[in-house]
Amino acid sequence: MTQLTGRDPSLLRRINSAVTLHALRGADALTLTQLMEDTGLSRPTVEGVVEGLTRQGLVAEVDPDAGAPRRGRPARRYRFRAEAGHLLGLEVGVRAVRGVLADLGGTVVGTLRRDVHQETAADERLGAVRALVADLLRRSGVPRGNLRAVGLGTPGIIGADGAVELCAAVPGWTGLDLGARLRRSFRCPVLVENDANLAAIGEHWKGAAVGADSMVFVLAGLSPGAGSLINGRLHRGFGGAAGEIGALHLLGRQADPEHLLSTTDTPLRPLDEQAVAGVLRRAAEGDAEASEALDRFVERLSHDVAALVLAIDPEVVVIGGWATGLDGLLEPLRARLAGHCLRAPRVALTELGEEAVALGALRTALDHVERELFAVDR
Amino acid sequence: MTQLTGRDPSLLRRINSAVTLHALRGADALTLTQLMEDTGLSRPTVEGVVEGLTRQGLVAEVDPDAGAPRRGRPARRYRFRAEAGHLLGLEVGVRAVRGVLADLGGTVVGTLRRDVHQETAADERLGAVRALVADLLRRSGVPRGNLRAVGLGTPGIIGADGAVELCAAVPGWTGLDLGARLRRSFRCPVLVENDANLAAIGEHWKGAAVGADSMVFVLAGLSPGAGSLINGRLHRGFGGAAGEIGALHLLGRQADPEHLLSTTDTPLRPLDEQAVAGVLRRAAEGDAEASEALDRFVERLSHDVAALVLAIDPEVVVIGGWATGLDGLLEPLRARLAGHCLRAPRVALTELGEEAVALGALRTALDHVERELFAVDR
């Protein structure tokens, strides 16, 4: 590895510390000699770094009695203390709030979901989030002070500061400084992001788009939204509005899903996962009107997805959102995209289902902490 | 600046050389003392680097008699020899081929355009390109051997190797290994790219999108194409097909411009810049049928542009292509986008006009050479 001459001793210490921590995190436990080999650092440097990381609580010596008995004195072994901090991924949706709690190694230690009413006002919705967090921490036995970062996903256009600039789906959300409101409840950074953007990050982390650095996640719902990764990084757009394709139907002959999926002249309300699954089931059973309704809905969805695919040309499109029963949408969507796009992408169903947004929020929180722990650039 | 310890002396020499060249290129002429100040390098190092660069022909001593007479012996001054190499930017379009020639400093020293027929076959079209290049070099007095890189833009989906994967607009283009065919005519690298992608690079370099690192260029034409920069870098898409929004109208009620812009039942053929300008002029003069035709066309264009804007959320959209007379399109397009997009971007008309693609091709060739000359990473 590159050795830098020490014009900035504190920077050098940070680099050595990050490199050592990185090596420890990638293994169960390592001796000082193994750490020297992995990092290229000298024994006195490794000893000093391990001592400092131990003081910070990030590294611990492994109990020497844990291994099998050996001749002579066994070499000391050290491990990364994943339990030294926790991350929280939250989703504040239209009809539910959800939380995922994990340790510094990214291992999930608790999840929780609470229903909220579609019409719930902003203050009450925030109250539901706070109650959910308190409950999740208590059930998982994690003290609030142990949280290192919180990620949160919600519908709408989110400013760089975490304020909701525009959101039609959640009452009272537009103009709410969500980041500032939530930061009162935590002593660690709170990162707010659009829900579809976080779902894209989630599916790329451990879902249907692992290894695909160019991907689009489509959150099928009343008004479809999308998040995309370009070169493995979230593409927010200049004003944080990238992927808000829901407005596209205003320009064409497409209408809203409540009418499209209805088999009568009356719009289907409330149109939620259950209602969508009902139409799909009836279509699968051969009901002619449900089949027609499904065709109309797939046409609208294909049009929105085609717009994204033609603009961005991703490797993979992951479809999520109305997760229950979406299986039936996949084949007709693939067929339409193959006909309309010059290069049809792989189309996959969400693998994270309803947890995609919260897991993406968790990954964002983890990224934030890892940048602090493992960053070697200033 | 960062000093690296010399575990790789040739890398170190390259870095010092690049840094010195960079300093010289940013000034008219510099003394060794000024170069030491600008680069942070020692006098012996600067002397060695300048000697090496002079041997390579990239640096020359400025004639000491050029300045005003001074007491004592004046310090030697050195300059970057922009004339040490040349770059060529080419566009192979449906109805014309075009070339722009510049020196290593990016200063244009010659341009040339030749009409070709829409139906011209691939071999004949390539012949027209070769003839144009020979003529342009001759008129500019630049020997072919002085070319360091060639950039070329053409319609269609272009593979990473420079082959045309798909192109409906140019006869015989689909499947043609354009890069390989052209490399026979040059002893320097030939870089082939989609025309709209290069126009985006051109407008960002010296057109309507200077300073906007998130921008989309829309090449309005028979089938609109687009190129986009994200974080200042060209976004090609996973398969090089990003921005090919022309296919979008197949999904909606939109039709092709030849019908949309016609004021009769007969499609407008050939639909070129002149024909489009004619419809715009008649609409401006109050002709009702021309106004209706224009409305239909703007609706289709807005729909395609809205799809791009909703997917990517750029800071600026630059409209080019059918450049003559496009002025009349801008205001109605702005109005429609403002109504349909959650965050409307700035919409600007091309500032490079018909030269956008060739100038983008030139910039790409210049980037290639600069990476070689100024790169400090391996």
Side-chain angles (χ1 to χ4, degrees):
Chain A
M1 61 170 307
T2 309
Q3 301 268 348
L4 296 177
T5 55
R7 293 212 303 183
D8 181 346
S10 76
L11 172 64
L12 193 61
R13 266 199 305 273
R14 271 191 49 199
I15 294 174
N16 291 341
S17 188
V19 166
T20 305
L21 207 51
H22 202 273
L24 281 169
R25 219 184 66 146
D28 279 344
L30 295 174
T31 63
L32 290 179
T33 307
Q34 287 169 328
L35 272 174
M36 286 166 59
E37 285 167 7
D38 284 5
T39 61
L41 298 170
S42 69
R43 181 169 292 268
T45 302
V46 168
E47 281 175 348
V49 164
V50 166
E51 196 188 309
L53 289 170
T54 305
R55 257 199 320 271
Q56 287 176 62
L58 289 167
V59 163
E61 193 181 337
V62 179
D63 182 359
D65 298 334
R70 289 170 46 174
R71 283 172 196 277
R73 190 174 143 215
R76 291 180 170 193
R77 290 156 67 238
Y78 299 88
R79 69 173 179 90
F80 174 60
R81 285 191 69 238
E83 70 276 24
H86 286 82
L87 299 316
L88 188 56
L90 296 171
E91 177 185 10
V92 187
V94 180
R95 292 197 194 84
V97 293
R98 186 186 301 272
V100 185
L101 187 67
D103 65 20
L104 283 182
T107 303
V108 173
V109 298
T111 62
L112 203 58
R113 179 195 195 279
R114 288 272 184 276
D115 286 339
V116 289
H117 193 269
Q118 188 164 348
E119 301 300 333
T120 301
D123 280 341
E124 199 184 329
R125 198 174 291 263
L126 284 173
V129 175
R130 283 191 208 96
L132 174 107
V133 170
D135 205 4
L136 178 55
L137 290 171
R138 192 177 44 74
R139 289 177 186 217
S140 313
V142 171
R144 184 172 293 255
N146 211 38
L147 288 177
R148 298 279 185 127
V150 176
L152 183 142
T154 198
I157 300 182
I158 312 297
D161 55 350
V164 181
E165 295 184 353
L166 189 66
C167 176
V170 180
W173 231 227
T174 298
L176 185 76
D177 194 345
L178 190 54
R181 290 288 295 272
L182 283 161
R183 276 175 206 117
R184 293 180 204 159
S185 306
F186 299 99
R187 269 173 295 174
C188 63
V190 176
L191 313 154
V192 184
E193 186 51 86
N194 168 270
D195 52 1
N197 286 356
L198 290 184
I201 291 172
E203 295 285 346
H204 182 252
W205 182 29
K206 46 169 74 185
V210 171
D213 282 354
S214 163
M215 63 83 70
V216 169
F217 178 91
V218 178
L219 194 68
L222 275 179
S223 174
S228 54
L229 302 190
I230 292 174
N231 298 323
R233 288 178 52 197
L234 179 63
H235 174 63
R236 304 190 76 250
F238 183 69
E244 291 294 330
I245 49 167
L248 201 59
H249 73 278
L250 299 172
L251 288 134
R253 61 179 164 182
Q254 291 74 26
D256 60 279
E258 290 171 333
H259 288 91
L260 293 176
L261 280 174
S262 170
T263 50
T264 66
D265 287 341
T266 317
L268 220 56
R269 284 189 186 127
L271 186 62
D272 52 17
E273 286 84 350
Q274 282 70 35
V276 175
V279 177
L280 288 173
R281 193 184 53 246
R282 281 166 53 209
E285 289 164 4
D287 180 297
E289 283 174 335
S291 295
E292 277 171 30
L294 182 60
D295 280 350
R296 287 193 299 266
F297 179 70
V298 171
E299 190 187 339
R300 151 94 201 261
L301 189 64
S302 317
H303 183 270
D304 292 347
V305 175
L308 282 165
V309 168
L310 290 167
I312 293 174
D313 183 23
E315 181 180 359
V316 184
V317 174
V318 181
I319 309 287
W322 282 336
T324 32
L326 270 178
D327 249 338
L329 288 184
L330 216 55
E331 274 315 317
L333 183 62
R334 275 192 190 124
R336 277 168 189 266
L337 283 181
H340 293 307
C341 296
L342 295 180
R343 203 201 62 77
R346 178 160 73 82
V347 181
L349 200 63
T350 169
E351 286 183 10
L352 304 180
E354 297 189 340
E355 293 207 328
V357 177
L359 282 171
L362 177 67
R363 180 66 251 181
T364 300
L366 194 54
D367 283 345
H368 181 85
V369 170
E370 288 188 348
R371 269 197 300 277
E372 292 193 333
L373 291 180
F374 303 122
V376 291
D377 47 8
R378 275 170 213 261
Chain B
M1 65 167 308
T2 307
Q3 301 268 350
L4 296 178
T5 56
R7 294 213 301 185
D8 181 348
S10 76
L11 171 64
L12 193 61
R13 266 199 305 274
R14 271 189 49 198
I15 294 174
N16 292 341
S17 188
V19 165
T20 304
L21 207 52
H22 202 273
L24 282 169
R25 219 185 65 147
D28 279 344
L30 294 175
T31 64
L32 291 179
T33 307
Q34 287 169 328
L35 272 174
M36 286 165 60
E37 285 167 7
D38 284 6
T39 61
L41 298 170
S42 70
R43 180 170 291 269
T45 303
V46 169
E47 282 175 348
V49 165
V50 166
E51 196 189 307
L53 289 170
T54 305
R55 254 200 323 271
Q56 288 176 59
L58 289 167
V59 163
E61 193 179 338
V62 179
D63 182 359
D65 298 334
R70 289 169 47 174
R71 286 173 195 275
R73 189 173 143 217
R76 291 179 169 191
R77 291 156 65 237
Y78 298 89
R79 69 173 180 88
F80 174 61
R81 287 190 70 237
E83 70 276 23
H86 285 83
L87 298 315
L88 188 57
L90 297 171
E91 177 185 10
V92 187
V94 179
R95 293 197 193 83
V97 293
R98 186 185 301 273
V100 185
L101 187 67
D103 66 19
L104 282 182
T107 303
V108 172
V109 299
T111 62
L112 202 58
R113 180 195 194 279
R114 288 272 185 275
D115 285 339
V116 288
H117 193 272
Q118 188 165 348
E119 301 301 332
T120 302
D123 280 340
E124 200 183 331
R125 200 173 289 264
L126 284 173
V129 175
R130 284 192 208 97
L132 174 107
V133 170
D135 206 4
L136 178 55
L137 288 172
R138 194 178 42 75
R139 289 177 185 215
S140 312
V142 171
R144 184 173 293 257
N146 211 36
L147 288 176
R148 298 280 185 125
V150 176
L152 183 143
T154 199
I157 300 183
I158 312 297
D161 56 350
V164 181
E165 294 184 355
L166 189 67
C167 176
V170 180
W173 231 226
T174 298
L176 185 75
D177 194 344
L178 191 53
R181 290 290 293 272
L182 283 161
R183 275 175 208 117
R184 293 181 204 160
S185 305
F186 299 99
R187 267 171 297 174
C188 63
V190 176
L191 313 153
V192 184
E193 186 51 86
N194 169 270
D195 52 1
N197 286 355
L198 291 183
I201 290 173
E203 296 285 346
H204 181 253
W205 181 30
K206 44 169 77 184
V210 171
D213 281 355
S214 162
M215 63 83 71
V216 168
F217 177 91
V218 178
L219 193 70
L222 275 179
S223 175
S228 54
L229 302 189
I230 292 175
N231 298 323
R233 288 178 54 198
L234 178 64
H235 174 64
R236 304 190 76 252
F238 183 69
E244 293 294 332
I245 48 167
L248 201 59
H249 73 278
L250 298 173
L251 287 134
R253 61 180 164 181
Q254 292 73 25
D256 61 280
E258 290 171 332
H259 287 91
L260 293 176
L261 279 173
S262 170
T263 52
T264 65
D265 286 343
T266 316
L268 219 57
R269 284 188 186 128
L271 186 62
D272 51 17
E273 287 83 349
Q274 282 70 35
V276 175
V279 177
L280 287 173
R281 193 183 55 246
R282 282 165 51 209
E285 288 165 5
D287 182 295
E289 282 174 336
S291 296
E292 277 171 32
L294 183 59
D295 280 350
R296 287 193 298 266
F297 179 68
V298 171
E299 191 187 337
R300 151 96 200 261
L301 190 63
S302 317
H303 184 270
D304 290 347
V305 175
L308 282 166
V309 168
L310 290 167
I312 293 174
D313 184 23
E315 181 180 358
V316 184
V317 173
V318 181
I319 309 287
W322 282 337
T324 32
L326 270 178
D327 249 338
L329 288 184
L330 215 55
E331 275 315 315
L333 183 61
R334 275 191 190 124
R336 277 167 190 269
L337 283 182
H340 293 310
C341 296
L342 295 181
R343 203 201 61 79
R346 179 160 74 80
V347 181
L349 200 64
T350 170
E351 287 182 10
L352 304 180
E354 296 190 341
E355 293 207 327
V357 176
L359 282 171
L362 178 66
R363 179 67 252 181
T364 300
L366 195 53
D367 283 344
H368 181 84
V369 171
E370 288 188 349
R371 268 197 301 277
E372 290 192 335
L373 292 179
F374 303 124
V376 292
D377 46 9
R378 273 171 215 261

